Every structure is written in structure tokens, then in C-alpha cells.
Amino acid sequence: MITSKADYHHYLERDKVALRIKSNTVITKLTTTLFPNSIWKFQRTMRTLEYYTNCKNSGLGKLYIYYLKYKFRNISIRNGFSIPINVFGPGLCIVHYGTIVINRNAKIGSNCRIHACVNIGASGGNRGAPQIGDNVYIAPGAKIYGNITIANNIAIGANAVVNKSFDQDNIVIGGIPAQQIGEIDIKNIIKHI
């Protein structure tokens, strides 16, 4: 969670690396002006809203938070995201725009790579939501729900339905319901860690 200006800059830098956004060169600025990256715009707005909500939530900062919430909501709708703030650690890589729905009680560690049509939520009226570790790859269509934990360095396969905890690191899980289907070196999938 972002708790200082240093955290804010760290999160932005890690997100840029994850999304393979180059430094602020003249060519990069020109390219992003002509062809804006809507996912980077979403993530940058999300991180700014997190920073102001967590650190600058009084006086004029409170007014700016309302503006950021409005902007964040519009960008979220355009991209098809229903992602609350303070859920993802640094190094988030949303691969494609498209439907992604995440419960506000979920917590996802650093260096998450997530695809479209993913749903991470609570189950059966219970407020408990998934707690997902660092360096986790979530393939398209995965459904992760319930008061469960997912360990570090895990790949979750396409269209998997994960409704139980997986405490072992460096594995691939998939299927309906999800089960371990192999082992993995996550660095082969998440290149920026």
C-alpha cells in the first residue's frame, strides 16, 4: 500500500517497467501523445488516487481526491475494469483492456501480470476475498474467489476456477476446480521481476 511520496514513485516506476514503458524521452512523449496507452493512464491514475487517498486526504487534497475518483471511474469504465484502489502491489501489468472485476477486500502482491475476463471476489455473502502473493500470473478468464490464499510465484491457467488455497510456491494451477498441474519458473512468464 502506498503510504508516502517515495512509495508512490516506486509504484509508478515498477508499473512502468512491468508495462515496458520507456523513460520520458522525446520520442516516448510524442508516441504517447499520438497513441495514448489507456492501460498506463488507468494505472497512473489509480496510483495517484491511492497516494492522495492514503496520504493527502485533508484540506485541498480532499477536493483533488473527488476529481481523481471521477477521472478514475471514467477510465475504468472505458477500459472495462472494476478494480478498487489499494489492492495491487507495485509492478502491476494489465496485459489487455477488457473485463476485470476485483473485490475491494482482495490483496494482490507485487509483480502481478493479469489478463482480461478475470474475476477475483468473495463468495456466498462472506466478506473474505483472495489474498494473492507476489509474482503471480493470472491468465485470461480465471475466476478466483472466496477467503483463500495463493502463494508466491504461481501461474494460474486460462479459465481456471480457483476456490481453495494453494500454499506451495512455483507451481501452475488450472482446471475446474483448480488443482496443481505442474511446476514453473515464473521468471519465464513475468519478465520484469
Side-chain angles (χ1 to χ4, degrees):
M1 186 157 91
I2 296 174
T3 58
S4 68
K5 188 133 188 162
D7 285 348
Y8 171 62
H9 289 297
H10 173 70
Y11 275 59
L12 285 176
E13 283 307 310
R14 294 302 306 153
D15 287 357
K16 281 172 83 173
V17 168
L19 291 169
R20 296 185 180 141
I21 295 174
K22 306 250 187 272
S23 306
N24 287 329
T25 64
V26 173
I27 293 188
T28 301
K29 288 180 181 180
L30 180 62
T31 303
T32 55
T33 301
L34 296 174
F35 309 103
N37 181 333
S38 63
I39 292 172
W40 170 236
K41 189 174 182 181
F42 168 83
Q43 286 187 214
R44 191 177 62 224
T45 303
M46 180 179 71
R47 298 308 189 187
T48 304
L49 180 56
E50 289 173 348
Y51 170 65
Y52 274 88
T53 300
N54 300 341
C55 304
K56 301 271 188 182
N57 56 7
S58 61
L60 291 177
K62 201 168 212 170
L63 289 174
Y64 191 56
I65 289 171
Y66 286 118
Y67 166 72
L68 288 172
K69 283 181 179 179
Y70 172 78
K71 184 178 175 182
F72 182 65
R73 182 178 177 274
N74 287 338
I75 295 169
S76 297
I77 290 169
R78 275 197 307 273
N79 285 322
F81 303 152
S82 180
I83 300 174
I85 63 171
N86 295 319
V87 169
F88 285 97
L92 171 63
C93 179
I94 300 173
V95 181
H96 304 286
Y97 52 86
T99 306
I100 298 175
V101 179
I102 299 179
N103 184 288
R104 75 178 67 214
N105 296 322
K107 292 294 177 221
I108 301 158
S110 60
N111 302 316
C112 178
R113 185 171 171 88
I114 187 169
H115 285 265
C117 299
V118 169
N119 189 325
I120 301 173
S123 175
N126 187 343
R127 297 184 75 153
Q131 308 298 301
I132 300 173
D134 296 334
N135 311 322
V136 174
Y137 172 81
I138 305 172
K143 310 299 182 251
I144 307 165
Y145 63 92
N147 190 14
I148 62 172
T149 58
I150 305 292
N152 299 323
N153 306 314
I154 287 185
I156 300 171
N159 298 316
V161 176
V162 184
N163 62 354
K164 66 179 182 179
S165 294
F166 288 88
D167 298 324
Q168 183 180 348
D169 292 353
N170 304 306
I171 60 171
V172 179
I173 57 177
I176 304 173
Q179 57 188 343
Q180 180 179 342
I181 56 176
E183 294 182 358
I184 192 165
D185 179 1
I186 202 71
K187 290 180 183 178
N188 292 331
I189 299 174
I190 304 175
K191 304 286 186 187
H192 65 275
I193 54 175

